[in-house]
Amino acid sequence: MQSLNEEILQTVIKPRPQESFKGTFGKILLVGGNHQFGGAIIMAATAAVYAGTGLVTVACDPLNATALHTQLPEAMVIDFKNQEKLAQMVSQVNTVVIGPGLGEEAESLAVLKTVFANTIDDQVVVIDGSAITLLAKEKLSLPAGRLVFTPHQMEWQRLSGIKIADQTPEANKSAQEKLNGIVLVKKHHTEIYTPDGDWKLPIGSAAQAVGGMGDTLAGMIGGFTAQFRKNTTQATLAATYAHSAIADEIAINQYVVLPRQISHALPGFMKKVANSNKDHQIGFMN
């Protein structure tokens, strides 16, 4: 297993071409945020917007629309109960993120099934949180698309059948190959299993042990894969590294790091990367 380092950032994050428009930087649909967990989808969408995705749409319970527009006017919103509209939007984007705050109710399952039925091969589909739990519990067929799974260890146990104590790199790799996608097993040093190789994230700290941290990571991965479409694996690795690199910088002066702080710091961090060369030490607060 390779050690992921900051070189992945320069590989992926490049200066933006001046001759460009919103569509140049990708379209993303984030699906989740039921009546109880609206904050999760707002944090995921915030990360996607601040990552620089060209067009961000959120499909959630309409109870969350006012809060979403108040905090993030850059994002569009649709009612995830409108199955026809949801299916239409799924087919129109580069990346779909499904799961943050989705919940595990009958309504949540109906939304998940609609999304899974309408993805296409030429899309990235990030499957996070309760979407992973429902996928495992209901034994659903996997959707079309380039799949990225972002489970914490208990969610990975549900999906892979591997108990946490037995989640060795060898066992995890075997399960990832059966899923035919990218798998991030979120832990102190997150492990990323991909068709192109396997990596361990050597950075990150307990300051990130805050609700919403995984939602923010899912939104960042969604934003990076929608915007940097050349290589899904590299975009996923870069988002994962940037997430913890920013958190580590913030944690120098804070006991805990709030997920929104990572998102808000992201544009400055990415600008530093885009302007740097591979020999330059990156630090967005420098």
Side-chain angles (χ1 to χ4, degrees), residues 7 23 25 49 58 82 92 98-100 105 110 117 119 121 167 174 187 203 215 220 238 245-246 260 269 273 278:
E7 289 186 5
F25 304 110
V49 168
V58 174
N82 186 330
Q92 294 178 355
I98 173 75
E105 302 168 339
T119 60
D121 290 337
Q167 290 175 5
S174 178
K187 55 199 294 189
I203 59 176
D215 304 310
M220 284 180 61
I246 294 171
R260 287 173 296 164
F269 180 86
V273 174
K278 292 185 178 181

Side-chain angles (χ1 to χ4, degrees), residues 31 97-104 108 112 116 126-137 140 149 155 159:
V31 187
V97 176
I98 173 75
L102 180 64
E104 299 175 32
S108 310
L112 181 62
F116 276 15
V126 181
I127 305 174
D128 181 63
S130 46
I132 294 174
T133 297
L134 285 172
L135 171 62
K137 180 180 177 182
L140 302 178
F149 301 88
E155 290 166 342
L159 183 60

Side-chain angles (χ1 to χ4, degrees), residues 4 8-9 192 194 199 201 232-242:
L4 190 61
I8 190 63
L9 301 174
I192 307 103
T194 88
W199 285 265
L201 183 67
T232 299
T233 294
Q234 289 184 349
T236 300
L237 293 172
T240 304
Y241 191 91

Side-chain angles (χ1 to χ4, degrees), residues 184-265:
L184 282 80
V185 181
K186 296 182 291 192
K187 55 199 294 189
H188 176 209
H189 291 308
T190 291
E191 296 169 358
I192 307 103
Y193 299 89
T194 88
D196 303 316
D198 309 315
W199 285 265
K200 176 176 282 190
L201 183 67
I203 59 176
S205 75
Q208 290 173 262
V210 177
M213 196 61 67
D215 304 310
T216 295
L217 177 58
M220 284 180 61
I221 292 171
F224 273 53
T225 56
Q227 183 177 182
F228 306 115
R229 297 187 291 278
K230 185 177 180 180
N231 188 306
T232 299
T233 294
Q234 289 184 349
T236 300
L237 293 172
T240 304
Y241 191 91
H243 180 263
S244 286
I246 294 171
D248 280 355
E249 292 263 11
I250 296 171
I252 292 172
N253 297 308
Q254 293 186 192
Y255 188 65
V256 296
V257 176
L258 300 183
R260 287 173 296 164
Q261 292 179 297
I262 295 176
S263 294
H264 293 166

